[in-house]
Amino acid sequence: MRFHVLLGLLWLGSVARAEKPLNIVVLYGDDWRFDTLGAAGNPYVRTPNLDRLAAQGVRFTRAAVTSAICGVSRASLLTGQWMSRHGQRDFGVFTTAWSDTLPGRLRAAGYQVAHVGKWHSGKFPAEHYDFGRAYHGQHWLTRPGGALVHVTAQNESDALEFLRTRDPARPFFLQVAFFAPHAEDRHPQQFLPQPSSYDLYGDRPVPVPINATKASTERLPDFLAAEKNEGRIRWRARFDTSGKYQEMMKNYLRLVSEVDAACGGVLAEIDRQGLAGDTLVVFTSDNGYLHGEHGLADKWYPFEESIRVPLIIRDPRMAAGKRGTTNSDFTLNADLAPTILAST
């Protein structure tokens, strides 16, 4: 099984396994591709908190997903299985028994399990969680009473509530499933960051990919190049003029930086509670994203931009010499559940 690759890399040169079970935090971005990190060498994006996490752990440079679509990929993370095994082909329900999922096995082992944010696998199974808040689809949510809150701020608030109200005598598993920077597809602006982020990225233009050209589109097979293809439809909605490209990409990157800040808030709370030495932290995404390459937008297709994702793992047992390193072995999102289970 491929998870032995990840497990061996994490444990190579590590300190002895802790006697008590590790806490586990999965910070789960949406539509966030492998190179949208300062730590990955991107000179434009601002992700200081995740860059710091990478400096404290291992960043996997060739991580990929088995299916570049939200619901399918999220089911693979939960089950450690490919679509052909877990059975979720779009946004329905996976058929894997709950007792065989990552949170199911951890809860059976005595963990408190929590999920906040995007679910996308049918009805959220609240009965299987000790703490659960599921929501996605809009960047701005309406709270009881009519006040608006940004979905990323709500993600952070719910994660902090769990961390501050959990049973301190038991280990925990927390998945913070961000909706951002996924587009709000039916909104004409697509990407709606918080007003406090509007000053970000205003100083210079976002670089346009070298393969975001008419010639690249013309090289596509007919079924991809067709104007009714969803990737082409969304390209026209976001990237078909230089002005639109700049507006959309800057707002996308503002959402990225907001998620980075929320991750920083969660990590700061772990530090405040003195849990960093007892907590395994994973940052990754459900799929990559096409920023206009090939004349396409979004994901779905087996292009590198669609299937490659960021992956950072910080294990407190990791030897000092491994911290801040990168690894170029090929890993998959289906590797994560068995890796986590085997290492706790």
Side-chain angles (χ1 to χ4, degrees):
M1 295 178 67
R2 290 200 56 84
F3 79 87
H4 287 302
V5 173
L6 274 176
L7 191 60
L9 292 169
L10 287 174
W11 279 95
L12 182 62
S14 65
V15 299
R17 178 192 290 265
E19 290 185 4
K20 63 179 181 179
L22 286 179
N23 305 309
I24 303 153
V25 174
V26 176
L27 303 169
Y28 202 25
D30 194 322
D31 288 353
W32 188 315
R33 69 191 221 181
F34 71 100
D35 58 356
T36 310
L37 283 171
N42 188 317
Y44 194 90
V45 71
R46 301 174 193 177
T47 53
N49 296 289
L50 293 171
D51 295 347
R52 190 176 308 114
L53 184 68
Q56 297 166 345
V58 174
R59 183 172 62 84
F60 293 85
T61 61
R62 295 184 65 222
V65 298
T66 56
S67 300
I69 183 170
C70 302
V72 177
S73 188
R74 289 165 187 271
S76 290
L77 177 73
L78 289 168
T79 64
Q81 299 171 346
W82 293 47
M83 180 179 70
S84 58
R85 181 72 177 271
H86 63 60
Q88 182 174 332
R89 297 186 173 274
D90 43 40
F91 310 118
V93 182
F94 54 82
T95 57
T96 303
W98 188 259
S99 58
D100 287 333
T101 64
L102 173 61
R105 291 200 174 193
L106 289 171
R107 197 179 195 200
Y111 275 73
Q112 299 166 87
V113 296
H115 174 96
V116 300
K118 186 172 180 177
W119 178 246
H120 230 40
S121 294
K123 182 182 177 182
F124 177 65
E127 68 277 12
H128 292 306
Y129 282 88
D130 298 289
F131 185 100
R133 306 271 173 83
Y135 45 85
H136 74 278
Q138 293 178 291
H139 290 134
W140 289 94
L141 308 174
T142 304
R143 281 177 167 162
L148 293 178
V149 60
H150 197 273
V151 65
T152 302
Q154 190 66 50
N155 294 148
E156 181 180 2
S157 175
D158 289 339
L160 294 179
E161 180 181 342
F162 167 73
L163 290 171
R164 292 167 181 170
T165 60
R166 65 188 174 81
D167 179 356
R170 297 167 58 199
F172 65 84
F173 168 74
L174 168 62
Q175 179 170 322
V176 188
F178 297 98
F179 174 58
H182 190 296
E184 190 171 326
D185 297 322
R186 293 179 177 83
H187 195 286
Q189 291 177 251
Q190 300 285 294
F191 306 102
L192 287 78
Q194 299 170 67
S196 58
S197 298
Y198 287 162
D199 289 340
L200 290 174
Y201 305 112
D203 52 348
R204 64 189 195 279
V206 181
V208 178
I210 60 172
N211 55 347
T213 64
K214 182 179 179 182
S216 295
T217 306
E218 290 173 345
R219 286 193 292 268
L220 292 172
D222 291 344
F223 73 93
L224 281 180
E227 292 306 297
K228 292 183 178 180
N229 176 276
E230 191 64 26
R232 291 290 291 156
I233 291 172
R234 297 193 186 195
W235 176 84
R236 288 194 296 274
R238 299 171 191 169
F239 302 139
D240 63 349
T241 69
S242 59
K244 191 186 293 185
Y245 178 87
Q246 292 299 321
E247 177 185 1
M248 295 290 177
M249 282 301 303
K250 288 185 178 185
N251 282 334
Y252 170 88
L253 293 172
R254 287 165 182 146
L255 291 171
V256 162
S257 290
E258 290 172 3
V259 171
D260 175 82
C263 290
V266 173
L267 294 172
E269 181 63 22
I270 291 171
D271 289 342
R272 189 189 70 80
Q273 294 188 24
L275 298 173
D278 302 310
T279 304
L280 176 72
V281 179
V282 177
F283 170 74
T284 191
S285 178
D286 57 355
N287 46 252
Y289 215 47
L290 286 153
H291 295 162
E293 292 90 348
H294 319 289
L296 298 170
D298 241 277
K299 56 262 186 177
W300 310 306
Y301 313 121
F303 291 106
E304 182 178 48
E305 298 91 350
S306 300
I307 65 169
R308 282 183 67 188
V309 293
L311 175 60
I312 300 168
I313 301 180
R314 186 183 77 183
D315 188 327
R317 303 161 297 185
M318 193 178 294
K322 290 193 66 66
R323 299 183 186 279
T325 63
T326 59
N327 186 280
S328 60
D329 284 301
F330 185 56
T331 61
L332 296 174
N333 59 334
D335 299 335
L336 287 169
T339 296
I340 290 170
L341 289 170
S343 62
T344 55

